[in-house]
Amino acid sequence: MEKAIKLKVRKELDGQQQFNIIKLKGSLISKGYTEIIHILDQDDEFHINSFETAVGTTNEVQEFIKDFITKENLTDTITLFR
Protein backbone atom coordinates (compact mmCIF):
# COMPACT_ATOMS: atom_id res chain seq x y z
CA MET A 1 0.00 0.00 0.00
CA GLU A 2 1.73 3.12 -1.21
CA LYS A 3 -0.55 5.66 -2.89
CA ALA A 4 -2.76 7.82 -0.68
CA ILE A 5 -6.29 8.67 -1.80
CA LYS A 6 -8.30 11.35 -0.02
CA LEU A 7 -12.03 11.89 0.05
CA LYS A 8 -13.76 15.08 1.18
CA VAL A 9 -16.97 14.10 2.99
CA ARG A 10 -19.68 16.50 4.14
CA LYS A 11 -20.36 16.26 7.89
CA GLU A 12 -24.10 17.01 7.78
CA LEU A 13 -25.67 13.92 6.21
CA ASP A 14 -29.14 12.42 6.19
CA GLY A 15 -29.64 8.76 7.04
CA GLN A 16 -29.45 7.52 3.45
CA GLN A 17 -26.29 9.51 2.75
CA GLN A 18 -24.66 8.10 5.91
CA PHE A 19 -25.62 4.59 4.86
CA ASN A 20 -24.15 5.10 1.38
CA ILE A 21 -20.88 6.54 2.73
CA ILE A 22 -20.51 3.53 5.04
CA LYS A 23 -21.32 1.25 2.10
CA LEU A 24 -18.61 2.92 0.02
CA LYS A 25 -16.00 2.54 2.76
CA GLY A 26 -16.98 -1.08 3.33
CA SER A 27 -16.72 -1.77 -0.39
CA LEU A 28 -13.23 -0.24 -0.55
CA ILE A 29 -12.10 -2.53 2.27
CA SER A 30 -13.89 -5.68 1.09
CA LYS A 31 -12.53 -5.30 -2.45
CA GLY A 32 -9.03 -5.22 -0.97
CA TYR A 33 -8.29 -1.64 -2.05
CA THR A 34 -7.28 -0.74 1.51
CA GLU A 35 -7.25 -2.08 5.05
CA ILE A 36 -8.06 1.05 7.03
CA ILE A 37 -9.57 4.48 6.36
CA HIS A 38 -8.42 7.46 8.42
CA ILE A 39 -10.83 10.31 9.22
CA LEU A 40 -9.71 13.84 10.06
CA ASP A 41 -11.65 17.08 10.48
CA GLN A 42 -11.02 19.60 7.75
CA ASP A 43 -13.33 22.33 9.05
CA ASP A 44 -16.90 22.75 10.32
CA GLU A 45 -18.40 21.35 7.11
CA PHE A 46 -16.12 18.51 5.98
CA HIS A 47 -14.11 15.48 7.05
CA ILE A 48 -11.13 14.21 5.07
CA ASN A 49 -11.11 10.42 4.73
CA SER A 50 -7.78 9.05 3.56
CA PHE A 51 -6.41 5.63 2.83
CA GLU A 52 -3.48 4.00 1.09
CA THR A 53 -3.79 1.68 -1.86
CA ALA A 54 -1.31 -0.11 -4.08
CA VAL A 55 0.18 2.13 -6.77
CA GLY A 56 -1.05 -0.16 -9.56
CA THR A 57 -4.68 0.13 -8.44
CA THR A 58 -4.93 3.90 -7.96
CA ASN A 59 -6.81 4.62 -11.20
CA GLU A 60 -9.09 1.61 -10.66
CA VAL A 61 -9.93 2.77 -7.13
CA GLN A 62 -10.61 6.33 -8.26
CA GLU A 63 -12.91 5.11 -11.05
CA PHE A 64 -14.72 2.84 -8.58
CA ILE A 65 -15.26 5.81 -6.24
CA LYS A 66 -16.45 8.11 -9.05
CA ASP A 67 -18.88 5.46 -10.31
CA PHE A 68 -20.18 4.86 -6.79
CA ILE A 69 -20.69 8.60 -6.19
CA THR A 70 -22.65 8.90 -9.45
CA LYS A 71 -24.69 5.72 -8.91
CA GLU A 72 -25.67 6.64 -5.34
CA ASN A 73 -26.24 10.34 -6.14
CA LEU A 74 -23.59 11.55 -3.68
CA THR A 75 -22.07 14.33 -5.80
CA ASP A 76 -22.90 17.01 -3.18
CA THR A 77 -21.80 14.76 -0.32
CA ILE A 78 -18.39 13.30 -1.19
CA THR A 79 -15.62 14.16 -3.66
CA LEU A 80 -12.12 12.98 -4.44
CA PHE A 81 -9.78 15.41 -2.68
CA ARG A 82 -6.51 16.36 -4.35
Side-chain angles (χ1 to χ4, degrees), residues 59-72:
N59 290 336
E60 179 182 341
V61 173
Q62 289 177 342
E63 284 303 313
F64 174 80
I65 292 168
K66 288 176 189 176
D67 290 345
F68 189 94
I69 289 170
T70 301
K71 182 179 119 194
E72 298 297 337

Side-chain angles (χ1 to χ4, degrees), residues 3 5 7-8 11 15-16 19 21-22 25 34 36 38-40 44 46 55 58 64 68 73 78-79:
K3 176 67 176 167
I5 294 179
L7 303 170
K8 185 175 174 180
K11 288 183 178 181
Q16 186 62 47
F19 175 79
I21 297 297
I22 291 168
K25 292 178 186 181
T34 191
I36 189 166
H38 305 278
I39 303 171
L40 297 170
D44 290 340
F46 296 97
V55 174
T58 303
F64 174 80
F68 189 94
N73 196 24
I78 184 170
T79 57

